Amino acid sequence: MTSTVDIANYALNTLGASNITALDENSKPARIINQRYNAVRDTVFRSHPWNCLIRRVELAQETDTPTFGYTYQYALPTDPYCLRVLEFSNGSMSYPQDNMSSNTGGPVFVIEGRKLLTDEGTAKIKYIARVTDPQEYDASLIEALSARLAMEVCYALTGSTSMIQVTASLYEEKLKEARFVDGTEGAPQKLEASDFIEARF
């Protein structure tokens, strides 16, 4: 079973570095990996709606309301932690598949800080969760994550600018492959507007 240390070692192997036994061990590779791992993981998670990370939940409406602009506010999930909202539903209609705008022409919801603001009295979301157990990750996601980690710690461990380019190319290749596999799993879905925009960059 894959562990966080395994992912770290995949990255270190890419760089020709020695394996570590724990992220908190007293070695330079472990200290650098430990410093960067969480931020790199979250960045890769937010880059694509990975099937293995998607969760659904109905949010609890808060008693406090926005000062202006929207009628209601809801706290985003913390268990598991919400990294990115993919879809919003008021119970009968889902956004952004059906419509990105409300009846007034504005966004049907906005994210401000850790709050979701909307005029809808019911808020259900599909979101990317911060799943910390690597045993729940798809194999291609593990490959992409380890490649990004190798890219991020490359210079600190090797001092080589040319290796940065090598690891950056490897990450792009692994990410493209992982997105394709992940995106073709399950029944075909309508392309979300946000995915279309992101695919251009």
Side-chain angles (χ1 to χ4, degrees):
M1 293 297 210
T2 303
S3 67
T4 301
V5 173
D6 290 330
I7 294 173
N9 284 329
Y10 298 157
L12 292 171
N13 294 163
T14 299
L15 302 175
S18 300
N19 284 355
I20 61 175
T21 57
L23 263 63
D24 59 356
E25 73 177 37
N26 187 24
S27 68
K28 181 179 179 180
R31 287 193 297 271
I32 293 173
I33 291 280
N34 196 31
Q35 184 181 52
R36 295 294 299 142
Y37 182 83
N38 289 342
V40 171
R41 178 200 61 204
D42 288 358
T43 298
V44 174
F45 283 6
R46 282 176 51 84
S47 70
H48 177 78
W50 307 102
N51 293 324
C52 61
L53 305 178
I54 292 176
R55 302 291 185 270
R56 298 170 187 256
V57 68
E58 181 170 355
L59 304 179
Q61 190 181 115
E62 296 190 335
T63 54
D64 291 341
T65 58
T67 303
F68 65 93
Y70 288 91
T71 308
Y72 306 108
Q73 70 180 31
Y74 302 81
L76 293 175
T78 58
D79 187 21
Y81 188 92
C82 175
L83 290 172
R84 176 182 165 197
V85 175
L86 299 172
E87 182 181 320
F88 174 88
S89 173
N90 61 9
S92 59
M93 180 177 289
S94 295
Y95 305 83
Q97 279 87 345
D98 297 326
N99 191 349
M100 285 291 288
S101 303
S102 65
N103 292 333
T104 62
V108 72
F109 74 94
V110 296
I111 304 298
E112 296 182 356
R114 296 300 300 165
K115 308 291 184 183
L116 182 149
L117 279 56
T118 182
D119 289 327
E120 302 291 343
T122 298
K124 300 180 179 182
I125 63 169
K126 181 168 73 172
Y127 71 99
I128 296 176
R130 178 188 283 158
V131 178
T132 57
D133 182 0
Q135 294 185 35
E136 296 189 39
Y137 303 168
D138 180 81
S140 57
L141 172 56
I142 290 172
E143 291 287 324
L145 177 54
S146 65
R148 177 60 184 260
L149 192 58
M151 183 186 79
E152 293 287 341
V153 304
C154 175
Y155 190 76
L157 290 177
T158 69
S160 170
T161 54
S162 61
M163 275 299 292
I164 294 176
Q165 297 300 318
V166 171
T167 54
S169 296
L170 176 65
Y171 170 61
E172 289 300 324
E173 177 186 332
K174 294 293 186 182
L175 183 63
K176 182 178 180 181
E177 179 182 337
R179 282 175 164 174
F180 174 78
V181 172
D182 192 76
T184 54
E185 185 175 42
Q189 298 183 34
K190 187 184 295 183
L191 182 66
E192 296 182 356
S194 57
D195 291 335
F196 173 76
I197 292 171
E198 290 174 357
R200 297 174 59 194
F201 298 96

